[in-house]
Amino acid sequence: MRMLTTLLCALVLGAANPAWADVSREEAATAAARFSGGRVLAVERGVDRDNRPVWRVKVLTGSGDLKVVLVDPATGRAY
């Protein structure tokens, strides 16, 4: 019975939580580095001003500035 319950929970969680992004964390980091010309420090999930999901990528530019680049998780477009 315990195994059946565990299997059922796994199936429910898998069906209820579709893939969050077509663009992986690594792909978002690459897009942000190309966009900014800087070095990626961190990548995390977030939302933009319109409450849409985005990858938030913290980048250190060549001039020493810290920037946050947003990457669309569906298209990989950095902005």
Side-chain angles (χ1 to χ4, degrees):
M1 183 65 154
R2 185 175 180 186
M3 187 171 163
L4 180 60
T5 303
T6 302
L7 180 59
L8 183 58
C9 287
L11 288 172
V12 168
L13 288 175
N17 190 15
W20 181 79
D22 292 332
V23 174
S24 71
R25 180 182 302 270
E26 291 78 20
E27 291 168 326
T30 300
R34 280 193 202 128
F35 180 78
S36 67
R39 183 170 57 102
V40 173
L41 302 176
V43 182
E44 59 190 29
R45 293 179 183 180
V47 294
D48 67 5
R49 291 182 196 164
D50 297 326
N51 218 20
R52 293 179 302 209
V54 293
W55 286 113
R56 294 176 49 84
V57 185
K58 292 180 185 172
V59 177
L60 183 64
T61 67
S63 61
D65 295 327
L66 182 64
K67 289 188 173 187
V68 175
V69 177
L70 303 180
V71 179
D72 185 310
T75 66
R77 183 180 68 83
Y79 56 99

